[in-house]
Amino acid sequence: MSQNVSELPDVSTLSYEQARDELIEVVRRLEAGSTSLEDALALWERGEALAARCQSWLDNARARLDAAHGASDGRPQPAGSPSKDPAPEREAALDDAAAALPEEETR
């Protein structure tokens, strides 16, 4: 992430993986402490937006899993939701992805 923060893509267009990877790079640069105060503030703001984007992806995935689990329990299922229970591995993968985020970004 050697580009200027203002030249980076809009956070709302990023996939979970793209946002997570960029967030890791932002944290690395901030921890290195080699940026100017102005650049550090811009990086911090970008990092906050990236963390929110990751959290949004995780929240949406959790809601979809909950809806799918509800359907298997006999409760009504929202339109467009999968008709079968998701594989347990998918839920574990989401938990692993959330654990990969820096601790302060998952609060």
Side-chain angles (χ1 to χ4, degrees):
M1 188 171 113
S2 59
Q3 337 174 238
N4 186 330
V5 172
S6 63
E7 298 171 358
L8 295 170
D10 184 350
V11 171
S12 67
T13 65
L14 299 177
S15 70
Y16 171 80
E17 291 80 8
Q18 291 169 319
R20 181 202 59 215
D21 292 346
E22 188 180 332
L23 178 58
I24 290 167
E25 179 63 16
V26 164
V27 170
R28 185 196 64 74
R29 286 184 63 191
L30 286 170
E31 287 178 344
S34 59
T35 61
S36 68
L37 178 58
E38 186 175 333
D39 288 345
L41 288 172
L43 282 169
W44 181 269
E45 290 169 347
R46 179 76 176 180
E48 288 289 329
L50 291 164
R53 179 68 173 160
C54 288
Q55 190 61 54
S56 175
W57 273 106
L58 292 172
D59 290 346
N60 184 42
R62 177 61 63 194
R64 289 175 59 191
L65 286 172
D66 290 346
H69 282 289
S72 68
D73 293 342
R75 293 182 285 171
Q77 185 175 3
S81 295
S83 59
K84 294 168 37 175
D85 231 2
E89 298 85 27
R90 181 175 291 161
E91 190 167 345
L94 289 172
D95 291 339
D96 290 345
L101 288 173
E103 184 176 323
E104 64 273 5
E105 303 303 335
T106 59
R107 291 184 201 144

